[in-house]
Amino acid sequence: MEKVVVGLSGGVDSAVTAYLLKKMGYEITGVTLCMHEGAAKEAEDARAAAECIGISHYSIDLSERFRGKIIRYFTESYQQGETPNPCIVCNPEMKWSTLLYEADALGAERIATGHYAGVVRLENGRLAIRCAASVAKDQAYVLYGLTQEQLSRTVMPLAAYEKEEVRKIAAEIGLLTAEKADSMEVCFLPEGESYTDYIIRTEGVQPPCGNFVDENGRVLGTHQGLLHYTVGQRKGLGIAFGEPYYVKELRPEENEVVLAGNAALFDDTVYAEGFHGMAVEQIEDGMRFFAKIRYSHKGAMCTVYREGDGLRCVFDEPQRAVAPGQAVVFYKEETFSYTEPVLQGMRQGSGIEQRGYVVAGGAIIRRRRLS
């Protein structure tokens, strides 16, 4: 009986993942990673789910490590005028690294999570994240940073499920979390608290006021600190004009917020650094991809070129509100087969060839042309 360690978050998706794997005959241990203020409730929900499913479970306190790595990254990025996505860093460097460490300690070859995505092997031999069947729930974007070693030991059984189906399974087996609301994109923010209030409260920082300026540098008014603004923002500016104005750019060196009309928010070129390859090991000039510039972006076609140590991504059509700190994630359509034997008997069987979009790689968007 093969052992699998499941990251049991306290939500319905990871609980159903554990149930499906146990039903297939795997020996499951649920591990809850306690990383932030709401962790106690999540751990209790995870413990109750493990008891309902009939699997062993324990929790690990990672709060200090999480604060030192993920929350610091999150707060420093905002203070530098960026819009970070902490999941992109947390997944490979916190969740996967810890779960694999625990798996080794328990003698388990694989780990599993409740993400809506799948692990596939491509014709070129590389492993990649495959987009979920549910477009609305697909989480491939935040998983582009996983390494080949991490992917080789990962199982994600929910790739072909809709959320409603998962909730139905949870209800049928009596899980108390069957109707539990999905977690927020930034899991460590307390309910009802904005990211700005959280940073000010926890870090003891009060961002200095500065100038709103137009694209030509003309002063338009006074802003309340860079923390309060993100690219594309319209509401909450505290300044009125005869037409709608939006945040076009944040300039931390000058402590300025650039405002402009909606048309000025569109750009066909994105510059990025720190490429992490998945379906492709490295970028070659002229490669074509479907790309997303944020988690909720519908995506668009682009051509990618190497520029210095970074990338220049030229979209076929201008894209709105490109925000430094977010990731540009590249996708391509590929023929693949599911590599996990654990998927035999489920929606997709191991070794069955299919076509679909997989993650080619990704990089972090920067605010200016790369040198």
Side-chain angles (χ1 to χ4, degrees):
M1 184 181 294
E2 184 178 346
K3 297 179 181 179
V4 179
V5 168
V6 177
L8 212 57
S9 68
V12 64
D13 299 322
S14 61
V16 170
T17 291
Y19 166 75
L20 291 173
L21 298 180
K22 180 175 184 289
K23 185 179 179 182
M24 295 177 64
Y26 290 86
E27 181 182 343
I28 306 301
T29 298
V31 176
T32 300
L33 309 181
C34 299
M35 299 186 288
H36 50 81
E37 294 178 23
K41 178 62 168 64
E42 292 178 358
E44 178 57 28
D45 287 345
R47 185 202 61 76
E51 185 176 314
C52 176
I53 298 167
I55 61 173
S56 58
H57 167 261
Y58 62 92
S59 299
I60 303 174
D61 182 4
L62 295 177
S63 56
E64 287 191 18
R65 184 180 165 202
F66 186 80
R67 169 166 290 282
K69 191 170 193 67
I70 305 306
I71 295 181
R72 176 177 294 178
Y73 155 75
F74 178 80
T75 57
E76 290 181 352
S77 186
Y78 266 116
Q79 290 172 320
Q80 293 166 6
E82 298 179 336
T83 306
N85 187 322
C87 294
I88 287 171
V89 178
C90 182
N91 282 326
E93 298 189 23
M94 289 288 296
K95 292 180 180 177
W96 259 255
S97 63
T98 304
L99 290 174
L100 286 171
Y101 180 87
E102 296 302 312
D104 289 340
L106 294 170
E109 177 62 26
R110 296 173 182 273
I111 65 170
T113 72
H115 286 88
Y116 286 83
V119 180
V120 294
R121 185 173 295 279
L122 307 179
E123 292 179 335
N124 65 4
R126 292 186 65 81
L127 295 169
I129 292 292
R130 178 252 169 125
C131 294
S134 172
V135 175
K137 299 302 297 181
D138 176 56
Q139 294 173 293
Y141 177 90
V142 297
L143 299 172
Y144 85 82
L146 298 181
T147 68
Q148 292 292 293
E149 170 62 20
Q150 288 172 333
L151 290 173
S152 72
R153 299 180 63 184
T154 298
V155 178
M156 288 186 280
L158 300 187
Y161 284 81
E162 296 288 342
K163 184 73 177 195
E164 294 74 16
E165 295 177 285
V166 171
R167 291 197 184 280
K168 182 179 179 182
I169 292 171
E172 289 173 349
I173 63 176
L175 282 174
L176 298 178
T177 55
E179 296 302 323
K180 185 177 180 178
D182 291 344
S183 61
M184 298 182 295
E185 186 175 341
V186 183
C187 65
F188 55 85
L189 290 183
E191 186 175 356
E193 187 171 28
S194 69
Y195 74 87
T196 52
D197 290 342
Y198 176 83
I199 293 173
I200 291 170
R201 174 175 64 84
T202 61
E203 301 300 313
V205 300
Q206 186 62 51
C209 297
N211 289 328
F212 283 123
V213 299
D214 65 15
E215 295 176 272
N216 298 316
R218 181 170 62 95
V219 176
L220 303 174
T222 302
H223 68 67
Q224 300 305 305
L226 295 184
L227 271 182
H228 296 277
Y229 310 97
T230 57
V231 174
Q233 178 179 338
R234 176 186 174 187
K235 296 181 179 180
L237 299 181
I239 187 170
F241 300 94
E243 59 182 294
Y245 262 48
Y246 302 81
V247 175
K248 177 185 178 182
E249 182 185 355
L250 301 175
R251 296 175 177 169
E253 294 87 355
E254 297 84 8
N255 193 24
E256 292 178 341
V257 176
V258 181
L259 301 181
N262 185 61
L265 270 62
F266 288 82
D267 201 329
D268 64 0
T269 304
V270 172
Y271 297 95
E273 294 177 331
F275 176 74
H276 176 85
M278 188 169 279
V280 300
E281 189 170 0
Q282 60 185 8
I283 293 292
E284 297 178 8
D285 281 350
M287 279 185 164
R288 295 276 293 169
F289 298 108
F290 182 78
K292 296 174 68 173
I293 57 173
R294 55 184 165 270
Y295 181 77
S296 60
H297 186 216
K298 67 179 181 180
M301 292 301 299
C302 72
T303 306
V304 184
Y305 304 90
R306 298 172 66 93
E307 183 156 324
D309 293 331
L311 302 174
R312 174 167 53 94
C313 317
V314 182
F315 283 87
D316 294 358
E317 300 291 338
Q319 303 301 305
R320 186 180 185 278
V322 178
Q326 292 285 291
V328 54
V329 178
F330 307 114
Y331 304 79
K332 60 186 303 188
E333 192 174 16
E334 286 277 4
T335 297
F336 54 79
S337 61
Y338 278 86
T339 59
E340 306 95 327
V342 76
L343 286 172
Q344 291 178 355
M346 298 185 71
R347 297 295 180 89
Q348 290 96 351
S350 177
I352 298 176
E353 288 196 347
Q354 299 181 44
R355 284 193 68 81
Y357 277 94
V358 302
V359 174
I364 299 297
I365 298 169
R366 296 308 181 199
R367 67 175 59 84
R368 56 173 60 89
R369 177 179 290 272
L370 302 170
S371 58

